[in-house]
Amino acid sequence: MGSDPRAAEGNGRHDDDLNALLTTMHRRLGIAVVDRLNAHGGPPELRTPDLALDRLLAATHRATGKAVSRRLSRDDYAAQRSSALQASLGPRGHLARRPATIRVKYREGALRLVHNYWPFDLAEAMRTAARIVQDLCDLLGDSAQPLGRADTAVEQLREHLEGMSRRPQSHRSQAALSGLDYLNAVESALADPAERLANDLHSIRELLEEELAPSVTALQTTGHAYLFGVGAVAQDLIDDLAHGCGHADALARVVAEVERASNDFVGADLTSAKLDDVPLEGILWDATTLWPAQWETRVRRASLPSDEEQGVLVVAAEGCDSVVHADA
């Protein structure tokens, strides 16, 4: 189970109360020290027990003041750094707001789902398909180019779209039956845009096989007379691919959200997490992340500074020989 927000809020109030108490104590001790020194006519010499007590009180006052200042500065710095980090990483999605212990427990399963639905950059693949069709249009518009090259472009497009369509099928039914609510939520988030993209690909391949490919093949016998009709079909295909690019981009955004929920544990409370069988490589964390007992040193030795933000570490496949500090 994740940390209770009400408990976190209570801890924050306790910290504020402690800071206020320390500040008040420091101020009152200062008044007492000043009054005692003034009563003796200035800073004391270390000669008698009473004067030794004066010196001890003065030293305590200075030490308390430094401790209070460091504590307040540390809290302010941590709050500012956390706020800046969250702003740089962007708004959290609904998956990233799930309890950290759940996200780390099912991290491997969530990343496996990402690979199933996003085995490669499908958004870039859709744009590549659109470029192939645009090159075909340019080829057909150039009377100096042999029409036989159009057949080559169609075959290239056919192979490209076939490769995009060879993706694992949705496993939402199995995820739902497993009772793993988090993985079911991940699956649903990925499957919705993926299904829309799959439908687009099906329609695009139908348009290619039923209209564009036969029209390009017919050009070998009809010549340039039917170029206008072929160009119109090719433009329809480009429009459909542009529509598919939108669904591919939507899927890419969900993939990024799942990856962030699976990897970003900056400031997370993992004290109750069971990490023995959890792959931690790629996890982001910082000095505010709370680990189970005896895990922080192990994780720190396996971590390197990340490129996300100063003070953020990433768990690497092979760690360092020495401990890396979170403010490095």
Side-chain angles (χ1 to χ4, degrees):
M1 298 296 293
S3 59
D4 187 345
R6 290 174 297 182
E9 182 180 355
N11 291 335
R13 287 198 299 269
H14 291 327
D15 286 343
D16 292 341
D17 292 343
L18 178 59
N19 289 335
L21 179 62
L22 288 173
T23 302
T24 301
M25 184 190 73
H26 176 246
R27 184 175 65 253
R28 291 180 178 176
L29 181 59
I31 294 172
V33 169
V34 172
D35 289 346
R36 187 175 180 86
L37 291 178
N38 288 336
H40 285 280
E45 296 293 334
L46 188 59
R47 294 175 180 173
T48 66
D50 285 341
L51 293 179
L53 177 61
D54 292 342
R55 180 65 62 86
L56 176 62
L57 287 173
T60 303
H61 178 250
R62 288 193 298 270
T64 305
K66 291 178 181 178
V68 170
S69 298
R70 282 197 300 268
R71 180 181 178 87
L72 295 176
S73 299
R74 182 197 64 194
D75 291 346
D76 289 343
Y77 172 73
Q80 293 172 3
R81 188 180 67 179
S82 177
S83 176
L85 177 60
Q86 296 306 326
S88 68
L89 293 177
R92 288 182 176 271
H94 73 283
L95 293 174
R97 290 193 291 268
R98 294 293 186 103
T101 51
I102 296 296
R103 291 188 285 117
V104 75
K105 178 179 181 179
Y106 297 111
R107 178 175 185 259
E108 187 174 19
L111 293 177
R112 188 181 300 115
L113 287 171
V114 166
H115 179 72
N116 285 344
Y117 286 96
W118 195 260
F120 52 88
D121 192 339
L122 295 171
E124 180 57 30
M126 290 294 286
R127 291 178 175 83
T128 298
R131 287 194 292 270
I132 293 173
V133 180
Q134 185 59 58
D135 290 343
L136 173 62
C137 291
D138 295 341
L139 175 64
L140 296 174
D142 187 353
S143 58
Q145 295 292 334
L147 293 177
R149 294 186 59 185
D151 285 320
T152 303
V154 168
E155 183 59 30
Q156 180 186 3
L157 178 62
R158 179 182 288 116
E159 292 178 358
H160 183 75
L161 293 176
E162 182 179 354
M164 288 187 65
S165 300
R166 288 196 297 266
R167 293 182 295 116
Q169 297 298 313
S170 168
H171 297 288
R172 274 202 288 187
S173 57
Q174 289 90 329
L177 291 173
S178 70
L180 302 180
D181 178 68
Y182 177 68
L183 288 183
N184 189 36
V186 170
E187 179 92 15
S188 296
L190 289 165
D192 287 342
E195 287 172 1
R196 290 193 291 270
L197 177 58
N199 291 335
D200 286 342
L201 281 171
H202 179 73
S203 299
I204 289 167
R205 294 183 70 186
E206 278 191 341
L207 183 59
L208 169 64
E209 299 298 342
E210 296 177 5
E211 297 192 40
L212 183 62
S215 300
V216 169
T217 300
L219 289 177
Q220 298 294 333
T221 57
T222 61
H224 289 77
Y226 290 93
L227 278 179
F228 178 79
V230 177
V233 174
Q235 187 58 55
D236 289 343
L237 194 55
I238 289 176
D239 294 340
D240 288 350
L241 285 166
H243 187 265
C245 285
H247 289 151
D249 289 337
L251 178 57
R253 288 191 291 271
V254 177
V255 165
E257 180 185 347
V258 175
E259 289 179 337
R260 180 183 175 186
S262 302
N263 296 326
D264 180 12
F265 292 90
V266 172
D269 183 356
L270 298 172
T271 51
S272 61
K274 305 297 183 183
L275 302 179
D276 292 316
D277 298 320
V278 176
L280 300 180
E281 181 182 350
I283 280 182
L284 298 173
W285 65 284
D286 72 347
T288 63
T289 303
L290 301 179
W291 296 96
Q294 302 178 349
W295 271 89
E296 181 171 356
T297 301
R298 295 170 60 182
V299 172
R300 190 180 294 278
R301 288 189 180 279
S303 297
L304 298 169
S306 76
D307 296 329
E308 297 290 336
E309 184 82 8
Q310 183 176 359
V312 176
L313 304 177
V314 58
V315 181
E318 297 182 4
C320 300
D321 293 332
S322 60
V323 172
V324 179
H325 295 285
D327 57 357

